[in-house]
Amino acid sequence: MLCTRLTNAHILTMDPDHPVAHDLGIWRGRVVGLDEAVTGLPAREVVDLQGATVLPGFIDSHVHLAWAGLKAATPGIAPCARVEDVLAVVAEATARKSAPGDWVDIAGYDQRALGRHLTAAELDRVSHGRKVFVMHDSGHACVVNSAVLALLPADVPHQDGFLAESAMTAVRRLRLPYSQEELADAIEHAGRACLAEGITACAEAGIGGGLLGHSPVELGAYQLLRDRGRLPLRVQLMAAGDTLRPVGAHADDGIPRSLDLGLRTGFGDDWLSLGALKIYTDGGMMARTAALTAPYEGTTHTGQLQDDPERLTELVVDGHLAGWQLAVHAIGDRAADLALDALERAQTLRPRPDARHRVEHAGLIRPDQLPRFARLGVSAVVQPNFLRYFGDDYADVMGEARAPWMYRGRGFLDHGVTLVGSSDRPVTDGSPLRAIQFMVERTSLSGRRIGPDEGVTVDEALRAYTVAGAYACRWDDSAGSLTPGKRADLVVLGDDPRRVDPSRIGDIEVVATLVDGREGKRF
């Protein structure tokens, strides 16, 4: 007997051997058959979907759940466009802290809305002896007051309290880590937001260190949720690159650095597992720290790398030698050069044909870099909603010649590169449907078309959030398509993204989301 049979549905399986179905059978969390194979079988529950569209659950291959959940509970200054309004929010937040010396967190900072950066002196006026930490929306920078600057080593660079990249990391290290209970609550909150958007699995992009680590025992917060049955969706965890340590392994192993006990990609189960090793090479376009080969338009500034290029390369190589899949953050084209060079060196030293290394963001990729992605078998994990929401600004700072190279779609596919969709939640909107709409239209919220030749078909965009996401996360044997034997992770939509006008895709209703055949949202 089936556990559940979905009937009278318009099922887009993403499986070329059986692309469309009307019935789907579920038994013990797995798809066991389609159409005639299950139509006549008894089931404990039969759900008539009345023609609704069913797709494999969306996979968001690059998110920050803990950060997203914590940000939702943090006082925010968006969309303040005047310094006085920002300082009023900070003043109110500091007034809630009972003791001088307490930390005050502020979220939603974006200097573009103000026309310049805040300064430490301005924050001092409203901080009342508290330590103020204003987080940039990109996750790559912050502004702090003088109480924080006084605690930093003298060699940490800043501009009137603005700190970017490794300098921001120095600030974060001053603070006590969050507790596992706090992190668990934040992760659960963000995970439920993902479910509401049809996402059934995601990859958490960097825990335990780096720019966005929240605790040296951060993985334990996910285990708490798993143990208590509160993990809303499947999560793959990327360990931050700086969690690797030198190890005295046997010489034959060829492992210079490793996570404790030699843990690496693949450890875990269907609900919680270790994914790629996350390595930052540069910053972001929003903070103007993405590393470019030519300056940002109208400036002499070319962004920055996270560290000495050779040290970054050694980290990539060591992660590869230790058996990790690698997720190399590279937004600017100069950073992408470094990432591709390092991955090529790693594969030369120890060939691993199915390593499935990834470049995270691939925000500005020159035409000459596309064949290198293909030759190295590297996936491009892009965030289409960056251009939907920030595209006008990004296009301006890249200039007319480079703007079409941003967050490519067609260019990757035409070169045989696996194109993977993701959000980088909470940097911007996490909705896969809105991202899919942008991938097809290449139109920002203002109506500006950005690199229209990089547009893809609806089917190709859906594939980026299903089949390609499963491949990039090494879940392709169990997810990404509604194929018998795979997990019964699916989303029910109020309309078919392939049949509506592309401008309406982002507004399609998510009727229900099922993980393991169980409903995260009632029919």
Side-chain angles (χ1 to χ4, degrees):
M1 176 180 288
L2 300 174
C3 296
T4 306
R5 186 173 77 250
L6 306 182
T7 190
N8 191 20
H10 176 53
I11 302 170
L12 307 179
T13 68
M14 304 306 292
D15 179 353
D17 292 333
H18 195 145
V20 180
H22 52 78
D23 277 23
L24 181 145
I26 299 170
W27 184 69
R28 293 189 177 181
R30 296 274 170 169
V31 176
V32 294
L34 300 165
D35 293 339
E36 290 74 17
V38 297
T39 301
L41 297 180
R44 294 192 186 96
E45 180 184 30
V46 177
V47 180
D48 185 345
L49 289 178
Q50 300 179 356
T53 296
V54 177
L55 278 160
F58 296 128
I59 297 171
D60 192 332
S61 299
H62 185 120
V63 301
H64 300 280
L65 293 181
W67 178 21
L70 291 168
K71 181 179 179 180
T74 301
I77 55 177
C80 295
R82 300 190 312 154
V83 170
E84 294 78 9
D85 295 335
V86 170
L87 296 180
V89 174
V90 177
E92 183 179 353
T94 56
R96 296 196 204 109
K97 296 293 183 178
S98 58
D102 283 352
W103 284 89
V104 178
D105 290 301
I106 304 293
Y109 176 58
D110 184 345
Q111 84 284 355
R112 297 172 303 176
L114 304 176
R116 65 171 177 84
H117 282 297
L118 291 172
T119 67
E122 288 169 332
L123 294 176
D124 289 344
R125 299 203 320 252
V126 293
S127 56
H128 307 295
R130 278 67 170 176
K131 303 182 187 77
V132 178
F133 179 90
V134 182
M135 182 72 165
H136 197 278
D137 262 347
S138 68
H140 287 267
C142 65
V143 181
V144 300
N145 65 347
S146 297
V148 177
L149 293 176
L151 301 176
L152 290 170
D155 61 348
V156 175
H158 71 89
Q159 299 171 351
D160 296 325
F162 173 76
L163 301 99
E165 309 304 343
S166 59
M168 184 189 76
T169 300
V171 175
R172 292 176 66 86
R173 286 174 178 157
L174 296 173
R175 308 186 58 175
L176 291 173
Y178 288 92
S179 72
Q180 288 191 357
E181 291 286 354
E182 287 178 289
L183 291 174
D185 289 344
I187 293 161
E188 182 179 18
H189 176 87
R192 296 204 176 281
C194 290
L195 277 184
E197 293 172 340
I199 299 165
T200 55
C202 66
E204 170 70 54
I207 64 167
L211 291 172
L212 295 173
H214 296 94
S215 166
V217 291
E218 194 168 357
L219 189 151
Y222 292 86
Q223 287 187 286
L224 280 180
L225 291 173
R226 177 76 173 96
D227 293 345
R228 296 171 182 174
R230 291 171 48 200
L231 194 61
L233 73 170
R234 303 183 198 281
V235 180
Q236 187 179 86
L237 303 172
M238 298 186 201
D242 53 1
T243 59
L244 292 192
R245 305 178 185 181
V247 292
H250 193 284
D252 290 348
D253 293 336
I255 299 176
R257 279 187 278 184
S258 178
L259 207 61
D260 287 346
L261 301 178
L263 293 176
R264 58 178 173 81
T265 303
F267 184 80
D269 61 23
D270 279 352
W271 278 88
L272 183 63
S273 61
L274 277 177
L277 184 73
K278 171 76 176 294
I279 298 175
Y280 289 94
T281 65
D282 70 343
M285 287 186 190
M286 192 189 306
R288 311 306 195 232
T289 53
L292 311 178
T293 52
Y296 288 87
E297 193 75 3
T299 77
T300 59
H301 178 55
T302 58
Q304 65 190 79
L305 296 172
Q306 291 284 349
D307 201 346
D308 174 78
E310 190 55 38
R311 281 197 290 269
L312 291 171
T313 297
E314 288 175 358
L315 182 56
V316 169
V317 171
D318 286 355
H320 175 89
L321 294 177
W324 286 90
Q325 178 189 21
L326 299 175
V328 186
H329 167 116
I331 292 184
D333 61 329
R334 177 158 58 105
D337 279 334
L338 188 152
L340 295 170
D341 288 346
L343 292 170
E344 186 167 24
R345 183 191 297 185
Q347 289 282 21
T348 299
L349 289 172
R350 181 177 294 171
R352 288 172 50 205
D354 195 37
R356 302 197 195 183
H357 296 323
R358 314 158 32 147
V359 169
E360 308 300 298
H361 307 297
L364 185 74
I365 301 300
R366 302 187 309 269
D368 64 286
Q369 292 173 318
L370 293 170
R372 294 197 69 196
F373 271 80
R375 189 174 75 251
L376 291 169
V378 175
S379 299
V381 184
V382 300
Q383 296 75 41
N385 274 337
F386 277 16
L387 292 188
R388 177 177 169 84
Y389 291 93
F390 312 138
D392 293 358
D393 172 65
Y394 286 10
D396 287 344
V397 298
M398 288 301 108
E400 184 177 352
R402 290 181 295 180
W405 304 346
M406 293 191 299
Y407 297 93
R408 290 176 177 270
R410 175 57 52 205
F412 284 125
L413 292 177
D414 284 353
H415 282 80
V417 177
T418 300
L419 176 67
V420 184
S422 68
S423 69
D424 206 15
R425 178 194 306 265
V427 176
T428 192
D429 188 327
S431 165
L433 286 170
R434 284 189 279 275
I436 288 164
Q437 177 178 325
F438 177 84
M439 293 177 79
V440 176
E441 292 186 316
R442 300 288 297 190
T443 303
S444 73
L445 285 180
S446 73
R448 182 175 180 175
R449 297 200 73 195
I450 302 167
D453 290 344
E454 290 295 324
V456 301
T457 68
V458 175
D459 278 330
E460 289 167 335
L462 289 171
R463 183 179 176 85
Y465 276 90
T466 54
V467 176
Y471 174 85
C473 295
R474 306 187 74 89
W475 283 326
D476 46 314
D477 62 340
S478 59
S481 65
L482 296 176
T483 303
K486 292 191 176 183
R487 302 189 297 234
D489 296 353
L490 54 92
V491 58
V492 182
L493 301 178
D495 216 329
D496 181 352
R498 302 184 310 174
R499 293 179 177 175
V500 303
D501 187 275
S503 64
R504 291 183 49 217
I505 292 174
D507 296 324
I508 293 174
E509 180 189 4
V510 176
V511 177
T513 307
L514 278 69
V515 184
D516 253 358
R518 296 190 294 270
E519 299 168 32
K521 182 177 177 182
R522 294 300 302 174
F523 286 106

